[in-house]
Amino acid sequence: MKSLLLWDIDGTLINADGAGCRAVLQAMKDCFGVEASFDGFELAGRTDRQIMEWLMVSHNLENSKEIFQQFSARYIECLNREILLANIHTYKGVESILQTLHHRDDIFQGLLTGNLSGAARVKLECLDLCRYFSFGAYGEDGADRNTLGPIALQRASRQHGYDFETEPDRVYVIGDTDRDIVCGKAIGAVTIAVATGFHSKERLATANPTLLLDDFTEPAEFFAILNDPLPYPA
Ligand SMILES: [Mg+2]
């Protein structure tokens, strides 16, 4: 039997030290001449597309496919620069887990992230984490995070020739916000929340994840649920 792990990036695998926020605000300035801010908008768990479209709408900017592509391209350029200045790091325990799972032939690992694919690449490449993920669903695939789960399942099934769409109980969605948990539940997956990122353990608990962890430094429970999710309530 195979299992599929779908990982969020920011707050879950890595702390990018706000580089993404600074890069997207710089891109707003470069593309539209607008000094924007995120005041009054909660970013945690949102997709890049959702965040960028919110910025454009809130400044009455015209949105079209071409304009969004230009904005995205500039964002990635800015992120490449910001990432060099940021104190970006992988959370403690994460790389050891990724490495262990990478060597198991019953586990496939992919990304289920709000990041644009280009942004995911920039952030993960500088920490040498890209090699653990063979596919992903990304911010450009949809503004609403809940639309990304089915896309990730389709890509996983195509990539690995194994039909996870009919076995959602073998799929694990791992993230640091209640939006990750809702997104995982929307595809019937086992949900694992980790309180290293944007939401507190108390807030994550209200979304009722299958497993709730402080961090990945003591991974015994994490590996236990991968081996057998059945003892855990849905
Ligand atoms: Mg996150």
Side-chain angles (χ1 to χ4, degrees):
M1 198 182 302
K2 306 288 186 189
S3 295
L4 174 66
L5 271 64
L6 298 172
W7 293 87
D8 169 56
I9 296 180
D10 295 283
T12 302
L13 297 173
I14 68 164
N15 181 332
D17 189 28
C21 291
R22 290 190 293 280
V24 79
L25 293 178
Q26 183 62 46
M28 272 292 281
K29 195 172 172 187
D30 295 347
C31 290
F32 308 112
V34 171
E35 292 271 8
S37 81
F38 290 119
D39 292 349
F41 187 69
E42 193 197 41
L43 294 168
R46 305 238 188 226
T47 64
D48 280 352
R49 186 162 146 192
Q50 199 170 26
I51 292 165
M52 293 163 80
E53 287 181 350
W54 176 81
L55 283 169
M56 295 172 84
V57 166
S58 60
H59 290 88
N60 299 313
L61 297 166
E62 185 198 335
N63 191 2
S64 67
K65 199 174 169 191
E66 290 71 28
I67 291 170
F68 189 80
Q69 277 174 350
Q70 286 168 13
F71 187 18
S72 299
R74 185 62 192 148
Y75 163 50
I76 302 302
E77 286 170 5
C78 294
L79 183 60
N80 267 300
R81 196 178 55 236
E82 284 293 339
I83 217 80
L84 297 175
L85 306 170
N87 178 28
I88 182 171
H89 58 276
T90 308
Y91 288 113
K92 217 170 164 193
V94 163
E95 185 143 19
S96 161
I97 288 175
L98 293 176
Q99 243 167 24
T100 301
L101 297 176
H102 194 59
H103 292 112
R104 276 177 57 168
D105 58 10
D106 61 331
I107 299 263
F108 301 127
Q109 299 192 87
L111 297 166
L112 175 43
T113 172
N115 278 275
L116 297 179
S117 51
R121 199 173 311 114
V122 170
K123 291 175 183 177
L124 296 181
E125 251 173 17
C126 79
L127 296 167
D128 197 23
L129 297 179
C130 280
R131 60 204 162 111
Y132 297 117
F133 307 104
S134 51
F135 70 96
Y138 301 96
E140 65 265 35
D141 293 318
D144 178 353
R145 193 176 192 102
N146 291 349
T147 63
L148 303 186
I151 295 170
L153 292 186
Q154 281 166 19
R155 287 180 185 159
S157 300
R158 204 165 51 217
Q159 175 100 13
H160 296 292
Y162 193 91
D163 186 7
F164 287 106
E165 290 163 271
T166 57
E167 285 192 37
D169 55 331
R170 299 306 308 172
V171 179
Y172 298 78
V173 171
I174 308 152
D176 69 303
T177 72
D178 45 21
R179 289 195 172 86
D180 296 275
I181 301 165
V182 171
C183 167
K185 285 177 185 279
I187 53 170
V190 178
T191 52
I192 301 176
V194 61
T196 42
F198 292 96
H199 287 170
S200 67
K201 208 172 175 185
E202 292 70 30
R203 175 157 175 181
L204 290 170
T206 64
N208 197 26
T210 318
L211 179 65
L212 175 53
L213 299 170
D214 289 311
D215 54 37
F216 289 118
T217 56
E218 301 281 347
E221 262 194 302
F222 179 82
F223 283 112
I225 198 174
L226 295 191
N227 293 332
D228 187 5
L230 292 179
Y232 292 84

